[in-house]
Amino acid sequence: AQVFDSLRHSDGALVAATLSGLYRSEGEQSWERGYRPPALSVAGSLADEAVLYAGVEAGICTSGDSGRSWEFRAVPATDSFLVAAIAVSPAEGETLYLGTLSYTGERGELYASRNGGETLRLLKTFEVPVNAVLVHPEKPSTVYAGTGAFYAPGTPGGVYRSVDGGRSWTSTR
């Protein structure tokens, strides 16, 4: 399966977001699938090491048992999409950032959640997909969003930065 993202858990296990779902491996030889639909991203909670988040079609999955099982939560996007990127910030308790891409490649959205994805707030809509989200390791209110469509036909994007936790954004070009 095509691997889009992975995470080495504190217990030594590897969790992978793949074209055929979410997998967890506790050893080199065995992989257990915990969620079947495609997954593009995976991230861990900073507050609770057993909690993981994964970006999937039309929403996110959360795990409270280090990736052994997953629960789906829909994201209220305006069109068909995938959650392509997830980042976690220690700002304001813990903030989860989700970047989406539409199936058409013509838009992307960036959401924030302060309660583990139960409720989401739309931060920004882009004219191209959001493929990456990163939180500055020393400045948790500084968030970066990488945009663009890499599949044919490709659409140039850019890198955007927010220094106020996603309330305002500027292009870094």
Side-chain angles (χ1 to χ4, degrees):
Q2 184 176 9
V3 176
F4 296 107
D5 199 6
S6 64
L7 171 78
R8 175 67 69 182
H9 193 269
S10 63
D11 68 4
L14 183 63
V15 178
T18 77
L19 187 60
S20 60
L22 290 162
Y23 288 85
R24 176 184 162 89
S25 175
E26 294 186 22
E28 298 293 323
Q29 303 300 317
S30 85
W31 287 90
E32 299 280 333
R33 181 167 34 196
Y35 186 78
R36 185 169 295 275
L40 296 182
S41 53
V42 64
S45 169
L46 302 173
D48 183 346
E49 69 180 32
V51 175
L52 301 179
Y53 306 103
V56 297
E57 182 176 27
I60 64 170
C61 285
T62 58
S63 173
D65 59 7
S66 305
R68 289 176 183 86
S69 64
W70 296 89
E71 178 182 320
F72 175 79
R73 287 191 182 127
V75 172
T78 54
D79 62 1
S80 297
F81 71 98
L82 295 160
V83 174
I86 296 179
V88 183
S89 170
E92 299 184 44
E94 180 170 275
T95 302
L96 184 64
Y97 293 97
L98 308 174
T100 70
L101 60 90
S102 69
Y103 290 127
T104 63
E106 296 173 356
R107 73 185 277 134
E109 295 173 336
L110 190 63
Y111 291 88
S113 174
R114 291 198 175 85
N115 56 10
E118 288 182 32
T119 58
L120 299 168
R121 178 173 48 101
L122 179 63
L123 298 176
K124 183 160 180 62
T125 300
F126 297 90
E127 294 178 3
V128 292
V130 177
N131 299 297
V133 180
L134 177 70
V135 175
H136 192 289
E138 297 168 1
K139 301 174 188 173
S141 293
T142 300
V143 183
Y144 296 90
T147 66
F150 304 107
Y151 302 105
T155 306
V159 177
Y160 295 84
R161 179 181 61 213
S162 173
V163 296
D164 56 12
R167 289 185 273 293
S168 62
W169 294 85
T170 57
S171 174
T172 62
R173 298 190 236 189

